[in-house]
Amino acid sequence: MRQITTENNAGIVSTQNTKCQIIGILEDGQQSLSQQAIDYLKTADLLIGSPRFMDAIQGLLKDEVKKQDFSGKIMQVPNWVQTALEQNKQVVVLATGDPLCHGIGSFLVKKLGSESCHLLPNLTLFQVVFSRLGLAWQGVRISSIHGKDTGEWSINAPFEHGMRDLLEDCRTNDIIACYTSPKNSPARIAQMLSCEKMQDQFEMLIASRLTKSDEQLTAWLGVDEVIKQSYPNPNLVILKRIKPIKNNVLIGVADADYMQRKPDKGLITKQEVRAVSLAKLQLRHNSIVWDIGAGSGSIGLEAAHLCPKGRVYAIEKNPADFEIILQNLAQSSLSNYHVEQGKAPDGLDAWENADAIFIGGSGGHLTGLIELCLSRLNIGGTLVMNFVTIENLNIAIETLKQFKTVEWHFIHLQISRSKPILNMQRLEAENPVFIISASFIKDNNNG
C-alpha cells in the first residue's frame, strides 16, 4: 500500500497506509462534496462508481485516472480495490449519500476490513427530502428495494422475495422511507400494498432526482393513484400511515374468525387445543416453525404472530384447505408466513431447520415424518403432535422410543364448552385430543 507521511503540530512525523476512500455524493455532483472529498478525488488512481456520478466530477480527476463502472458488478468491487491498494494506488469509491445507509459502505468494510477503508459520508437522500418537507425523521423506518428486479408481489410470496422486508416494515411502522430502483418502482410498492389489502392504510410521496435542477416532490398521493403513474429516476418513496396499525390477537383467535372447511364441526384445531399446543411448542420471538398438515392454518398463523422475527413454513395436501389457508393469510397482517400445497415430506428439504415443529396431519406416513422432523430439529427445539386416534398415538410413541436422546410426554386434553338450554347452560364435549411433546435430552453439563 502507498505510504502517506504527515507531520503534526509537535513536529512528529508519522506514516500510515493508504485506505480506500468511500465518498458519499449527491445528484448535484461536486456541489455536494467537502474539500476533503475533492482532494481525494484529485489524487485518485482508480475511481469506482456509477457513470452518472463519475461524469459529474470529471473535471476534478487526473487525466490518467482509471474509471470502473460497478453497475451490476458490486461483488467484484472488493477485488478491484484490494488489487489497486496492493499496487500502491489511491482508490476512491463513490456512493449515494451515506455509504453506510443501505449503501456499498458496509459491504466493503466487511470484505476489506475497517482498517482498509475510510468513509466520508454525505447527507442521506432521506435527510434531504425530510428537510424539504420540514418533518422530523428520527422515528422513520428506513427500508430499501434498491437492487435487482424483485418481480411483482403476490399473496404467499416466497420468503426470499425482495419486497418482503418492506412489507413487514409497512405492517409495523407509521412512516417508512424506501429507496427504489427503476424496476422496483413506486408503482410496484403501491401494487404490493393493494395486493395485501393495505391500500387504504397509507399515503405516498415520491421524491425524484433530489438535489438536481429538475428535482420533483409529489403531493401526498393515494396508493391507487401511484399504481397508475411512473416517476423520473432516481427516486425514493415516503409512506405515511393514515390508519392505525391493526392490533391483532396473538394467541387464541376465536374459531369462527378463521375461514374453514365445514363437513362437520370445522377442520380446525380448536381454540383451547391450539393454545395448549402453541404453549408446548415453546416459541420464541425468532423461532423457525414448521406446520405440517396445516388444515385451516390456525396453528401456523398464530405461531407467526408470536414469532415476529421468525418464520413459519406450512404445508397442506388438500387443495380446498390450501385455498382456505390463503384466505386466512390474506386477513392476518403477517409477512413471516409461507404455505405450500403438497404432501409431507415432499418439499421439506428446502425449508430451514426448525426450532419448533407441529404435526397436525401426517398423510399416513407418521413414522417417517417423525424421524425426518427430529433430524431437522435444532438443539433446544420441540416437536409437538396432535392426535385424535389411539392408533396414531401408539405409532408416535413407538417411534419416539427408538430415539434414546429424545425425551417426550403426552397429555390427554378433553374440552367441553357451555351451550344454552332453555334459560340454563349445559356442557357439550369436543373431541378429545392427545398432545405429544418431544425434544432432545438436555446436557446438564453444557446447558
Side-chain angles (χ1 to χ4, degrees), residues 319-335:
D321 286 334
F322 175 76
E323 292 301 323
I324 285 171
I325 294 171
L326 293 182
Q327 294 177 54
N328 287 325
L329 173 61
Q331 63 183 18
S332 68
S333 300
L334 289 168
S335 305

Side-chain angles (χ1 to χ4, degrees), residues 372-438:
L372 172 64
C373 289
L374 289 174
S375 73
R376 299 287 304 281
L377 193 64
N378 290 328
I379 298 298
T382 305
L383 168 63
V384 173
M385 298 172 278
N386 283 9
F387 303 113
V388 295
T389 69
I390 295 173
E391 287 79 7
N392 276 340
L393 174 67
N394 287 334
I395 292 172
I397 290 174
E398 292 304 314
T399 303
L400 291 171
K401 284 180 179 179
Q402 307 306 310
F403 292 85
K404 303 305 181 184
T405 59
V406 172
E407 56 185 358
W408 55 272
H409 70 274
F410 73 87
I411 64 172
H412 174 254
L413 194 61
Q414 173 69 69
I415 299 296
S416 296
R417 292 177 172 176
S418 64
K419 295 289 183 181
I421 177 171
L422 299 177
N423 62 340
M424 297 173 286
Q425 295 287 323
R426 65 179 180 85
L427 289 176
E428 183 176 284
E430 297 290 334
N431 287 332
V433 178
F434 299 100
I435 302 177
I436 295 186
S437 302

Side-chain angles (χ1 to χ4, degrees), residues 143-211:
S143 191
S144 178
I145 52 173
H146 181 77
K148 66 179 181 179
D149 187 350
T150 64
E152 298 294 341
W153 178 260
S154 62
I155 293 290
N156 196 41
F159 281 125
E160 59 269 20
H161 195 287
M163 297 186 72
R164 184 173 289 276
D165 288 345
L166 172 59
L167 176 60
E168 178 61 21
D169 288 339
C170 291
R171 293 200 191 281
T172 55
N173 292 275
D174 289 326
I175 187 161
I176 305 99
C178 183
Y179 288 106
T180 63
S181 64
K183 291 291 185 180
N184 301 327
S185 63
R188 180 166 283 180
I189 297 173
Q191 193 169 34
M192 176 189 72
L193 293 173
S194 180
C195 179
E196 291 287 334
K197 305 296 189 290
M198 297 170 67
Q199 66 270 27
D200 62 341
Q201 297 181 28
F202 286 93
E203 290 181 333
M204 302 175 65
L205 182 146
I206 294 85
S208 304
R209 300 179 64 78
L210 284 170
T211 74

Side-chain angles (χ1 to χ4, degrees), residues 29 35 105 132 149 168 175 207 212 214 216 243 331 363 408:
Q35 186 58 52
R132 302 283 196 267
D149 187 350
E168 178 61 21
I175 187 161
K212 295 281 284 185
D214 56 350
Q216 296 179 21
K243 283 191 175 182
Q331 63 183 18
W408 55 272

Side-chain angles (χ1 to χ4, degrees), residues 49-345:
S50 65
R52 74 179 192 278
F53 285 143
M54 291 192 291
D55 291 346
I57 48 88
Q58 178 61 42
L60 299 176
L61 305 174
K62 298 187 299 186
D63 291 339
E64 63 272 23
V65 65
K66 179 181 178 181
K67 293 189 288 185
Q68 186 72 58
D69 178 5
F70 65 13
S71 303
K73 303 174 183 177
I74 295 297
M75 300 303 294
Q76 300 179 45
V77 174
N79 288 334
W80 297 342
V81 173
Q82 188 64 47
T83 299
L85 291 179
E86 290 172 355
Q87 296 171 354
N88 292 325
K89 295 184 181 299
Q90 179 72 42
V91 184
V92 173
V93 177
L94 293 176
T96 304
D98 183 346
L100 292 176
C101 182
H102 289 284
I104 195 174
S106 56
F107 172 69
L108 290 179
V109 169
K110 181 179 179 180
K111 292 293 185 179
L112 299 171
S114 58
E115 68 280 358
S116 297
C117 299
H118 178 234
L119 290 105
L120 279 76
N122 211 313
L123 294 173
T124 70
L125 291 178
F126 295 126
Q127 288 174 286
V128 175
V129 70
F130 278 95
S131 69
R132 302 283 196 267
L133 299 172
L135 295 176
W137 67 284
Q138 64 266 22
V140 173
R141 176 65 178 178
I142 297 176
S143 191
S144 178
I145 52 173
H146 181 77
K148 66 179 181 179
D149 187 350
T150 64
E152 298 294 341
W153 178 260
S154 62
I155 293 290
N156 196 41
F159 281 125
E160 59 269 20
H161 195 287
M163 297 186 72
R164 184 173 289 276
D165 288 345
L166 172 59
L167 176 60
E168 178 61 21
D169 288 339
C170 291
R171 293 200 191 281
T172 55
N173 292 275
D174 289 326
I175 187 161
I176 305 99
C178 183
Y179 288 106
T180 63
S181 64
K183 291 291 185 180
N184 301 327
S185 63
R188 180 166 283 180
I189 297 173
Q191 193 169 34
M192 176 189 72
L193 293 173
S194 180
C195 179
E196 291 287 334
K197 305 296 189 290
M198 297 170 67
Q199 66 270 27
D200 62 341
Q201 297 181 28
F202 286 93
E203 290 181 333
M204 302 175 65
L205 182 146
I206 294 85
S208 304
R209 300 179 64 78
L210 284 170
T211 74
K212 295 281 284 185
S213 59
D214 56 350
E215 170 182 300
Q216 296 179 21
L217 271 70
T218 69
W220 290 105
L221 304 173
V223 171
D224 290 337
E225 185 175 355
V226 176
I227 289 176
K228 306 171 187 176
Q229 302 295 328
S230 59
Y231 301 91
N233 286 301
N235 59 60
L236 55 88
V237 172
I238 311 298
L239 297 119
K240 181 175 68 174
R241 179 173 288 279
I242 55 177
K243 283 191 175 182
I245 294 173
K246 188 176 179 181
N247 191 18
N248 292 295
V249 172
L250 299 182
I251 186 171
V253 176
D255 296 345
D257 289 345
Y258 286 107
M259 298 289 294
Q260 52 191 287
R261 186 160 55 95
K262 294 186 176 182
D264 183 15
K265 294 183 179 180
L267 295 179
I268 188 172
T269 302
K270 298 299 191 293
Q271 183 187 51
E272 297 83 0
V273 178
R274 195 185 324 134
V276 174
S277 298
L278 287 165
K280 294 290 185 181
L281 284 169
Q282 298 288 281
L283 300 173
R284 294 169 173 80
H285 77 287
N286 60 347
S287 291
I288 302 300
V289 183
W290 292 7
D291 182 10
I292 298 174
S296 301
S298 60
I299 288 283
L301 292 169
E302 289 188 29
H305 281 301
L306 295 168
C307 308
K309 299 299 183 182
R311 291 181 174 181
V312 177
Y313 297 83
I315 189 167
E316 171 54 47
K317 67 176 183 177
N318 185 284
D321 286 334
F322 175 76
E323 292 301 323
I324 285 171
I325 294 171
L326 293 182
Q327 294 177 54
N328 287 325
L329 173 61
Q331 63 183 18
S332 68
S333 300
L334 289 168
S335 305
N336 60 338
Y337 179 96
H338 177 73
V339 62
E340 299 174 7
Q341 184 183 344
K343 184 176 181 180

